[in-house]
mmCIF file with all atom_site columns, all heavy atoms in Angstrom:
data_model
loop_
_atom_site.group_PDB
_atom_site.id
_atom_site.type_symbol
_atom_site.label_atom_id
_atom_site.label_alt_id
_atom_site.label_comp_id
_atom_site.label_asym_id
_atom_site.label_entity_id
_atom_site.label_seq_id
_atom_site.pdbx_PDB_ins_code
_atom_site.Cartn_x
_atom_site.Cartn_y
_atom_site.Cartn_z
_atom_site.occupancy
_atom_site.B_iso_or_equiv
_atom_site.pdbx_formal_charge
_atom_site.auth_seq_id
_atom_site.auth_comp_id
_atom_site.auth_asym_id
_atom_site.auth_atom_id
_atom_site.pdbx_PDB_model_num
ATOM 1   N N   . SER J 1 211 ? 88.306  74.729  86.516 1.00 0.00 ? 211 SER J N   1
ATOM 2   C CA  . SER J 1 211 ? 88.949  73.753  85.637 1.00 0.00 ? 211 SER J CA  1
ATOM 3   C C   . SER J 1 211 ? 88.476  72.334  85.955 1.00 0.00 ? 211 SER J C   1
ATOM 4   O O   . SER J 1 211 ? 88.158  71.552  85.057 1.00 0.00 ? 211 SER J O   1
ATOM 5   C CB  . SER J 1 211 ? 90.466  73.857  85.798 1.00 0.00 ? 211 SER J CB  1
ATOM 6   O OG  . SER J 1 211 ? 91.112  72.899  84.996 1.00 0.00 ? 211 SER J OG  1
ATOM 7   N N   . GLN J 1 212 ? 88.401  72.009  87.249 1.00 0.00 ? 212 GLN J N   1
ATOM 8   C CA  . GLN J 1 212 ? 87.980  70.664  87.659 1.00 0.00 ? 212 GLN J CA  1
ATOM 9   C C   . GLN J 1 212 ? 86.481  70.452  87.451 1.00 0.00 ? 212 GLN J C   1
ATOM 10  O O   . GLN J 1 212 ? 86.052  69.418  86.959 1.00 0.00 ? 212 GLN J O   1
ATOM 11  C CB  . GLN J 1 212 ? 88.331  70.448  89.128 1.00 0.00 ? 212 GLN J CB  1
ATOM 12  C CG  . GLN J 1 212 ? 89.829  70.433  89.412 1.00 0.00 ? 212 GLN J CG  1
ATOM 13  C CD  . GLN J 1 212 ? 90.129  70.382  90.900 1.00 0.00 ? 212 GLN J CD  1
ATOM 14  O OE1 . GLN J 1 212 ? 89.308  69.912  91.692 1.00 0.00 ? 212 GLN J OE1 1
ATOM 15  N NE2 . GLN J 1 212 ? 91.296  70.866  91.290 1.00 0.00 ? 212 GLN J NE2 1
ATOM 16  N N   . GLN J 1 213 ? 85.689  71.473  87.824 1.00 0.00 ? 213 GLN J N   1
ATOM 17  C CA  . GLN J 1 213 ? 84.240  71.322  87.783 1.00 0.00 ? 213 GLN J CA  1
ATOM 18  C C   . GLN J 1 213 ? 83.704  71.188  86.358 1.00 0.00 ? 213 GLN J C   1
ATOM 19  O O   . GLN J 1 213 ? 82.762  70.421  86.104 1.00 0.00 ? 213 GLN J O   1
ATOM 20  C CB  . GLN J 1 213 ? 83.579  72.512  88.476 1.00 0.00 ? 213 GLN J CB  1
ATOM 21  C CG  . GLN J 1 213 ? 82.056  72.399  88.545 1.00 0.00 ? 213 GLN J CG  1
ATOM 22  C CD  . GLN J 1 213 ? 81.456  73.560  89.337 1.00 0.00 ? 213 GLN J CD  1
ATOM 23  O OE1 . GLN J 1 213 ? 82.165  74.350  89.964 1.00 0.00 ? 213 GLN J OE1 1
ATOM 24  N NE2 . GLN J 1 213 ? 80.133  73.668  89.299 1.00 0.00 ? 213 GLN J NE2 1
ATOM 25  N N   . PHE J 1 214 ? 84.312  71.905  85.406 1.00 0.00 ? 214 PHE J N   1
ATOM 26  C CA  . PHE J 1 214 ? 83.761  71.936  84.043 1.00 0.00 ? 214 PHE J CA  1
ATOM 27  C C   . PHE J 1 214 ? 84.645  71.209  83.026 1.00 0.00 ? 214 PHE J C   1
ATOM 28  O O   . PHE J 1 214 ? 84.394  71.289  81.823 1.00 0.00 ? 214 PHE J O   1
ATOM 29  C CB  . PHE J 1 214 ? 83.540  73.389  83.623 1.00 0.00 ? 214 PHE J CB  1
ATOM 30  C CG  . PHE J 1 214 ? 82.528  74.100  84.474 1.00 0.00 ? 214 PHE J CG  1
ATOM 31  C CD1 . PHE J 1 214 ? 82.938  74.898  85.541 1.00 0.00 ? 214 PHE J CD1 1
ATOM 32  C CD2 . PHE J 1 214 ? 81.168  73.947  84.252 1.00 0.00 ? 214 PHE J CD2 1
ATOM 33  C CE1 . PHE J 1 214 ? 82.018  75.543  86.343 1.00 0.00 ? 214 PHE J CE1 1
ATOM 34  C CE2 . PHE J 1 214 ? 80.235  74.588  85.051 1.00 0.00 ? 214 PHE J CE2 1
ATOM 35  C CZ  . PHE J 1 214 ? 80.650  75.386  86.109 1.00 0.00 ? 214 PHE J CZ  1
ATOM 36  N N   . ASN J 1 215 ? 85.652  70.510  83.526 1.00 0.00 ? 215 ASN J N   1
ATOM 37  C CA  . ASN J 1 215 ? 86.515  69.710  82.663 1.00 0.00 ? 215 ASN J CA  1
ATOM 38  C C   . ASN J 1 215 ? 87.104  70.528  81.512 1.00 0.00 ? 215 ASN J C   1
ATOM 39  O O   . ASN J 1 215 ? 87.005  70.167  80.344 1.00 0.00 ? 215 ASN J O   1
ATOM 40  C CB  . ASN J 1 215 ? 85.739  68.505  82.106 1.00 0.00 ? 215 ASN J CB  1
ATOM 41  C CG  . ASN J 1 215 ? 86.672  67.469  81.478 1.00 0.00 ? 215 ASN J CG  1
ATOM 42  O OD1 . ASN J 1 215 ? 87.835  67.364  81.866 1.00 0.00 ? 215 ASN J OD1 1
ATOM 43  N ND2 . ASN J 1 215 ? 86.152  66.733  80.515 1.00 0.00 ? 215 ASN J ND2 1
ATOM 44  N N   . VAL J 1 216 ? 87.695  71.643  81.877 1.00 0.00 ? 216 VAL J N   1
ATOM 45  C CA  . VAL J 1 216 ? 88.382  72.481  80.891 1.00 0.00 ? 216 VAL J CA  1
ATOM 46  C C   . VAL J 1 216 ? 89.818  72.705  81.372 1.00 0.00 ? 216 VAL J C   1
ATOM 47  O O   . VAL J 1 216 ? 90.125  72.570  82.549 1.00 0.00 ? 216 VAL J O   1
ATOM 48  C CB  . VAL J 1 216 ? 87.680  73.846  80.697 1.00 0.00 ? 216 VAL J CB  1
ATOM 49  C CG1 . VAL J 1 216 ? 86.319  73.657  80.054 1.00 0.00 ? 216 VAL J CG1 1
ATOM 50  C CG2 . VAL J 1 216 ? 87.568  74.594  82.019 1.00 0.00 ? 216 VAL J CG2 1
ATOM 51  N N   . ARG J 1 217 ? 90.697  73.049  80.419 1.00 0.00 ? 217 ARG J N   1
ATOM 52  C CA  . ARG J 1 217 ? 92.081  73.380  80.761 1.00 0.00 ? 217 ARG J CA  1
ATOM 53  C C   . ARG J 1 217 ? 92.252  74.894  80.702 1.00 0.00 ? 217 ARG J C   1
ATOM 54  O O   . ARG J 1 217 ? 91.869  75.529  79.713 1.00 0.00 ? 217 ARG J O   1
ATOM 55  C CB  . ARG J 1 217 ? 93.044  72.696  79.796 1.00 0.00 ? 217 ARG J CB  1
ATOM 56  C CG  . ARG J 1 217 ? 93.222  71.209  80.052 1.00 0.00 ? 217 ARG J CG  1
ATOM 57  C CD  . ARG J 1 217 ? 94.157  70.600  79.029 1.00 0.00 ? 217 ARG J CD  1
ATOM 58  N NE  . ARG J 1 217 ? 93.573  70.643  77.692 1.00 0.00 ? 217 ARG J NE  1
ATOM 59  C CZ  . ARG J 1 217 ? 94.275  70.650  76.561 1.00 0.00 ? 217 ARG J CZ  1
ATOM 60  N NH1 . ARG J 1 217 ? 95.591  70.654  76.607 1.00 0.00 ? 217 ARG J NH1 1
ATOM 61  N NH2 . ARG J 1 217 ? 93.669  70.678  75.398 1.00 0.00 ? 217 ARG J NH2 1
ATOM 62  N N   . LEU J 1 218 ? 92.829  75.453  81.751 1.00 0.00 ? 218 LEU J N   1
ATOM 63  C CA  . LEU J 1 218 ? 93.074  76.889  81.813 1.00 0.00 ? 218 LEU J CA  1
ATOM 64  C C   . LEU J 1 218 ? 94.572  77.127  81.959 1.00 0.00 ? 218 LEU J C   1
ATOM 65  O O   . LEU J 1 218 ? 95.146  76.875  83.019 1.00 0.00 ? 218 LEU J O   1
ATOM 66  C CB  . LEU J 1 218 ? 92.310  77.500  82.992 1.00 0.00 ? 218 LEU J CB  1
ATOM 67  C CG  . LEU J 1 218 ? 90.791  77.548  82.831 1.00 0.00 ? 218 LEU J CG  1
ATOM 68  C CD1 . LEU J 1 218 ? 90.110  77.614  84.185 1.00 0.00 ? 218 LEU J CD1 1
ATOM 69  C CD2 . LEU J 1 218 ? 90.386  78.747  81.998 1.00 0.00 ? 218 LEU J CD2 1
ATOM 70  N N   . ASN J 1 219 ? 95.187  77.560  80.886 1.00 0.00 ? 219 ASN J N   1
ATOM 71  C CA  . ASN J 1 219 ? 96.621  77.829  80.895 1.00 0.00 ? 219 ASN J CA  1
ATOM 72  C C   . ASN J 1 219 ? 96.862  79.327  81.083 1.00 0.00 ? 219 ASN J C   1
ATOM 73  O O   . ASN J 1 219 ? 96.443  80.146  80.254 1.00 0.00 ? 219 ASN J O   1
ATOM 74  C CB  . ASN J 1 219 ? 97.264  77.366  79.582 1.00 0.00 ? 219 ASN J CB  1
ATOM 75  C CG  . ASN J 1 219 ? 97.060  75.882  79.350 1.00 0.00 ? 219 ASN J CG  1
ATOM 76  O OD1 . ASN J 1 219 ? 97.081  75.095  80.293 1.00 0.00 ? 219 ASN J OD1 1
ATOM 77  N ND2 . ASN J 1 219 ? 96.848  75.493  78.094 1.00 0.00 ? 219 ASN J ND2 1
ATOM 78  N N   . ILE J 1 220 ? 97.512  79.698  82.193 1.00 0.00 ? 220 ILE J N   1
ATOM 79  C CA  . ILE J 1 220 ? 97.770  81.109  82.484 1.00 0.00 ? 220 ILE J CA  1
ATOM 80  C C   . ILE J 1 220 ? 98.914  81.607  81.611 1.00 0.00 ? 220 ILE J C   1
ATOM 81  O O   . ILE J 1 220 ? 100.008 81.040  81.599 1.00 0.00 ? 220 ILE J O   1
ATOM 82  C CB  . ILE J 1 220 ? 98.111  81.317  83.972 1.00 0.00 ? 220 ILE J CB  1
ATOM 83  C CG1 . ILE J 1 220 ? 96.914  80.903  84.840 1.00 0.00 ? 220 ILE J CG1 1
ATOM 84  C CG2 . ILE J 1 220 ? 98.489  82.761  84.249 1.00 0.00 ? 220 ILE J CG2 1
ATOM 85  C CD1 . ILE J 1 220 ? 97.178  80.986  86.333 1.00 0.00 ? 220 ILE J CD1 1
ATOM 86  N N   . VAL J 1 221 ? 98.653  82.698  80.876 1.00 0.00 ? 221 VAL J N   1
ATOM 87  C CA  . VAL J 1 221 ? 99.646  83.304  79.989 1.00 0.00 ? 221 VAL J CA  1
ATOM 88  C C   . VAL J 1 221 ? 100.320 84.495  80.664 1.00 0.00 ? 221 VAL J C   1
ATOM 89  O O   . VAL J 1 221 ? 101.540 84.611  80.689 1.00 0.00 ? 221 VAL J O   1
ATOM 90  C CB  . VAL J 1 221 ? 98.982  83.762  78.668 1.00 0.00 ? 221 VAL J CB  1
ATOM 91  C CG1 . VAL J 1 221 ? 100.010 84.407  77.756 1.00 0.00 ? 221 VAL J CG1 1
ATOM 92  C CG2 . VAL J 1 221 ? 98.309  82.582  77.973 1.00 0.00 ? 221 VAL J CG2 1
ATOM 93  N N   . LEU J 1 222 ? 99.508  85.377  81.218 1.00 0.00 ? 222 LEU J N   1
ATOM 94  C CA  . LEU J 1 222 ? 100.008 86.557  81.927 1.00 0.00 ? 222 LEU J CA  1
ATOM 95  C C   . LEU J 1 222 ? 99.128  86.813  83.148 1.00 0.00 ? 222 LEU J C   1
ATOM 96  O O   . LEU J 1 222 ? 97.935  86.498  83.132 1.00 0.00 ? 222 LEU J O   1
ATOM 97  C CB  . LEU J 1 222 ? 99.980  87.807  81.029 1.00 0.00 ? 222 LEU J CB  1
ATOM 98  C CG  . LEU J 1 222 ? 101.009 87.938  79.901 1.00 0.00 ? 222 LEU J CG  1
ATOM 99  C CD1 . LEU J 1 222 ? 100.705 89.184  79.076 1.00 0.00 ? 222 LEU J CD1 1
ATOM 100 C CD2 . LEU J 1 222 ? 102.422 88.012  80.448 1.00 0.00 ? 222 LEU J CD2 1
ATOM 101 N N   . ALA J 1 223 ? 99.705  87.410  84.180 1.00 0.00 ? 223 ALA J N   1
ATOM 102 C CA  . ALA J 1 223 ? 98.927  87.741  85.374 1.00 0.00 ? 223 ALA J CA  1
ATOM 103 C C   . ALA J 1 223 ? 99.484  89.001  86.013 1.00 0.00 ? 223 ALA J C   1
ATOM 104 O O   . ALA J 1 223 ? 100.694 89.247  85.985 1.00 0.00 ? 223 ALA J O   1
ATOM 105 C CB  . ALA J 1 223 ? 98.944  86.588  86.375 1.00 0.00 ? 223 ALA J CB  1
ATOM 106 N N   . ASN J 1 224 ? 98.598  89.793  86.576 1.00 0.00 ? 224 ASN J N   1
ATOM 107 C CA  . ASN J 1 224 ? 99.008  91.022  87.258 1.00 0.00 ? 224 ASN J CA  1
ATOM 108 C C   . ASN J 1 224 ? 98.026  91.297  88.391 1.00 0.00 ? 224 ASN J C   1
ATOM 109 O O   . ASN J 1 224 ? 96.815  91.299  88.186 1.00 0.00 ? 224 ASN J O   1
ATOM 110 C CB  . ASN J 1 224 ? 99.011  92.199  86.279 1.00 0.00 ? 224 ASN J CB  1
ATOM 111 C CG  . ASN J 1 224 ? 99.448  93.491  86.950 1.00 0.00 ? 224 ASN J CG  1
ATOM 112 O OD1 . ASN J 1 224 ? 100.533 93.555  87.515 1.00 0.00 ? 224 ASN J OD1 1
ATOM 113 N ND2 . ASN J 1 224 ? 98.611  94.513  86.889 1.00 0.00 ? 224 ASN J ND2 1
ATOM 114 N N   . VAL J 1 225 ? 98.553  91.494  89.597 1.00 0.00 ? 225 VAL J N   1
ATOM 115 C CA  . VAL J 1 225 ? 97.722  91.838  90.752 1.00 0.00 ? 225 VAL J CA  1
ATOM 116 C C   . VAL J 1 225 ? 98.320  93.070  91.402 1.00 0.00 ? 225 VAL J C   1
ATOM 117 O O   . VAL J 1 225 ? 99.524  93.139  91.641 1.00 0.00 ? 225 VAL J O   1
ATOM 118 C CB  . VAL J 1 225 ? 97.653  90.686  91.772 1.00 0.00 ? 225 VAL J CB  1
ATOM 119 C CG1 . VAL J 1 225 ? 96.794  91.097  92.969 1.00 0.00 ? 225 VAL J CG1 1
ATOM 120 C CG2 . VAL J 1 225 ? 97.082  89.431  91.136 1.00 0.00 ? 225 VAL J CG2 1
ATOM 121 N N   . GLU J 1 226 ? 97.498  94.077  91.663 1.00 0.00 ? 226 GLU J N   1
ATOM 122 C CA  . GLU J 1 226 ? 97.981  95.287  92.317 1.00 0.00 ? 226 GLU J CA  1
ATOM 123 C C   . GLU J 1 226 ? 96.963  95.756  93.348 1.00 0.00 ? 226 GLU J C   1
ATOM 124 O O   . GLU J 1 226 ? 95.787  95.370  93.295 1.00 0.00 ? 226 GLU J O   1
ATOM 125 C CB  . GLU J 1 226 ? 98.246  96.385  91.294 1.00 0.00 ? 226 GLU J CB  1
ATOM 126 C CG  . GLU J 1 226 ? 97.062  96.698  90.394 1.00 0.00 ? 226 GLU J CG  1
ATOM 127 C CD  . GLU J 1 226 ? 97.440  97.626  89.256 1.00 0.00 ? 226 GLU J CD  1
ATOM 128 O OE1 . GLU J 1 226 ? 98.528  98.226  89.323 1.00 0.00 ? 226 GLU J OE1 1
ATOM 129 O OE2 . GLU J 1 226 ? 96.662  97.750  88.309 1.00 0.00 ? 226 GLU J OE2 1
ATOM 130 N N   . MET J 1 227 ? 97.447  96.583  94.266 1.00 0.00 ? 227 MET J N   1
ATOM 131 C CA  . MET J 1 227 ? 96.582  97.115  95.309 1.00 0.00 ? 227 MET J CA  1
ATOM 132 C C   . MET J 1 227 ? 96.167  98.534  94.940 1.00 0.00 ? 227 MET J C   1
ATOM 133 O O   . MET J 1 227 ? 97.008  99.385  94.651 1.00 0.00 ? 227 MET J O   1
ATOM 134 C CB  . MET J 1 227 ? 97.311  97.132  96.648 1.00 0.00 ? 227 MET J CB  1
ATOM 135 C CG  . MET J 1 227 ? 97.704  95.752  97.152 1.00 0.00 ? 227 MET J CG  1
ATOM 136 S SD  . MET J 1 227 ? 96.282  94.666  97.444 1.00 0.00 ? 227 MET J SD  1
ATOM 137 C CE  . MET J 1 227 ? 95.511  95.503  98.842 1.00 0.00 ? 227 MET J CE  1
ATOM 138 N N   . ILE J 1 228 ? 94.873  98.784  94.930 1.00 0.00 ? 228 ILE J N   1
ATOM 139 C CA  . ILE J 1 228 ? 94.323  100.114 94.666 1.00 0.00 ? 228 ILE J CA  1
ATOM 140 C C   . ILE J 1 228 ? 93.374  100.449 95.803 1.00 0.00 ? 228 ILE J C   1
ATOM 141 O O   . ILE J 1 228 ? 92.427  99.715  96.055 1.00 0.00 ? 228 ILE J O   1
ATOM 142 C CB  . ILE J 1 228 ? 93.580  100.171 93.319 1.00 0.00 ? 228 ILE J CB  1
ATOM 143 C CG1 . ILE J 1 228 ? 94.552  99.827  92.179 1.00 0.00 ? 228 ILE J CG1 1
ATOM 144 C CG2 . ILE J 1 228 ? 92.970  101.549 93.098 1.00 0.00 ? 228 ILE J CG2 1
ATOM 145 C CD1 . ILE J 1 228 ? 93.896  99.765  90.825 1.00 0.00 ? 228 ILE J CD1 1
ATOM 146 N N   . GLN J 1 229 ? 93.658  101.550 96.511 1.00 0.00 ? 229 GLN J N   1
ATOM 147 C CA  . GLN J 1 229 ? 92.858  101.930 97.674 1.00 0.00 ? 229 GLN J CA  1
ATOM 148 C C   . GLN J 1 229 ? 92.747  100.764 98.662 1.00 0.00 ? 229 GLN J C   1
ATOM 149 O O   . GLN J 1 229 ? 91.679  100.468 99.179 1.00 0.00 ? 229 GLN J O   1
ATOM 150 C CB  . GLN J 1 229 ? 91.472  102.398 97.240 1.00 0.00 ? 229 GLN J CB  1
ATOM 151 C CG  . GLN J 1 229 ? 91.497  103.701 96.439 1.00 0.00 ? 229 GLN J CG  1
ATOM 152 C CD  . GLN J 1 229 ? 90.108  104.193 96.070 1.00 0.00 ? 229 GLN J CD  1
ATOM 153 O OE1 . GLN J 1 229 ? 89.192  103.412 95.871 1.00 0.00 ? 229 GLN J OE1 1
ATOM 154 N NE2 . GLN J 1 229 ? 89.955  105.495 95.967 1.00 0.00 ? 229 GLN J NE2 1
#
Side-chain angles (χ1 to χ4, degrees):
S211 178
Q212 294 173 25
Q213 183 176 351
F214 297 97
N215 194 27
V216 293
R217 284 178 294 155
L218 290 157
N219 301 324
I220 298 176
V221 179
L222 287 175
N224 181 57
V225 179
E226 54 189 346
M227 297 298 293
I228 300 176
Q229 293 183 329

